[in-house]
Amino acid sequence: QKEVEQDPGPLSVPEGAIVSLNCTYSNSAFQYFMWYRQYSRKGPELLMYTYSSGNKEDGRFTAQVDKSSKYISLFIRDSQPSDSATYLCAMTSGTYKYIFGTGTRLKVLA
Amino acid sequence: DTGVSQDPRHKITKRGQNVTFRCDPISEHNRLYWYRQTLGQGPEFLTYFQNEAQLEKSRLLSDRFSAERPKGSFSTLEIQRTEQGDSAMYLCASTPRGGQSVDEQYFGPGTRLTVT
């Protein structure tokens, strides 16, 4: 079993929809959680960074962490075609070693 | 601030050849990471530098791989006697000096290696 599981998709939604992306993990030591967006043939770009449990909002993006369920989510409101990309979750217990999910490919249809 | 840069962006080489990649982190970022990413997978940790010191190497980094960061600035990743299984995107990331307790990593655009 991988330490971090993420549905690879692809996930196709109409423009304006609310998108929900999720990761589950098995290592209870993870405390720091990140979401990255990666466009095709580009490096990942940091979107959200959260510590421990709770919610964090930034514009159209909301990150949620539920440590009791070992489950994290990223919500995108009013999705746009420009949001079409691969979304990677990443986490760490507090060391330099980050564990990434496989990424979920999202396509927002105009 | 121009971000993390990597060179070359693409490299095609024949099996058995040696290749070297370069990463220039954001200036004054003292921590630097190398990752490998294959199609449909997330980045996998390869190695980590704090200033010029290489503090950790993944077991993914066989003895054909070597990384350096002279003077704590740019870094190079060399692969000797390349194999077809080395074909991947090689990503570099850096984090700022004195950042939060857990670093926010800034990634470069990557070097895509194809071994024929």
Side-chain angles (χ1 to χ4, degrees):
Chain A
Q1 183 190 6
K2 289 184 178 180
E3 279 190 285
V4 178
E5 299 276 1
Q6 187 174 10
D7 187 332
L11 177 63
S12 292
V13 301
E15 183 176 357
I18 296 175
V19 176
S20 172
L21 303 165
N22 311 294
C23 287
T24 59
Y25 62 94
S26 57
N27 188 344
S28 57
F30 289 146
Q31 294 191 71
Y32 301 86
F33 305 91
M34 288 140 280
W35 285 97
Y36 287 84
R37 177 174 62 196
Q38 186 173 27
Y39 291 112
S40 181
R41 300 185 178 272
K42 304 285 188 185
E45 170 194 8
L46 181 66
L47 281 177
M48 300 287 284
Y49 161 92
T50 53
Y51 168 68
S52 194
S53 287
N55 293 0
K56 185 173 183 179
E57 190 173 320
D58 184 1
R60 296 185 296 113
F61 299 92
T62 300
Q64 284 186 352
V65 175
D66 182 350
K67 289 189 70 182
S68 62
S69 301
K70 298 191 181 69
Y71 188 88
I72 68 170
S73 300
L74 178 71
F75 297 95
I76 307 173
R77 290 184 298 281
D78 188 25
S79 55
Q80 304 294 311
S82 58
D83 295 327
S84 299
T86 295
Y87 289 79
L88 296 154
C89 63
M91 47 197 80
T92 176
S93 59
T95 70
Y96 53 81
K97 199 161 184 181
Y98 297 71
I99 308 298
F100 282 80
T102 55
T104 298
R105 198 153 50 96
L106 171 67
K107 190 163 187 178
V108 181
L109 306 170
Chain B
D1 181 356
T2 57
V4 178
S5 62
Q6 292 187 244
D7 184 68
R9 295 292 307 279
H10 306 276
K11 178 72 177 178
I12 300 174
T13 191
K14 293 188 176 177
R15 190 176 54 185
Q17 297 295 305
N18 299 343
V19 294
T20 300
F21 310 141
R22 177 179 170 125
C23 170
D24 285 88
I26 296 171
S27 60
E28 297 190 357
H29 278 199
N30 68 338
R31 299 169 184 158
L32 186 147
Y33 307 75
W34 284 99
Y35 289 87
R36 181 173 68 188
Q37 186 177 26
T38 53
L39 199 62
Q41 300 297 316
E44 294 176 291
F45 171 82
L46 291 179
T47 191
Y48 160 67
F49 289 86
Q50 182 157 314
N51 298 313
E52 65 275 10
Q54 187 175 20
L55 297 186
E56 181 71 16
K57 284 175 62 171
S58 165
R59 63 178 182 276
L60 291 174
L61 222 62
S62 75
D63 56 6
R64 296 185 297 106
F65 288 70
S66 62
E68 293 183 341
R69 193 182 181 198
K71 302 178 185 176
S73 55
F74 71 92
S75 176
T76 58
L77 178 69
E78 182 182 15
I79 309 174
Q80 296 183 325
R81 306 182 303 282
T82 51
E83 301 173 355
Q84 288 187 320
D86 297 330
S87 296
M89 173 83 93
Y90 290 84
L91 291 162
C92 176
S94 69
T95 59
R97 185 198 313 271
Q100 300 180 48
S101 57
V102 169
D103 304 333
E104 297 177 10
Q105 294 187 331
Y106 296 86
F107 280 86
T111 294
R112 182 169 296 280
L113 173 66
T114 302
V115 181
T116 61

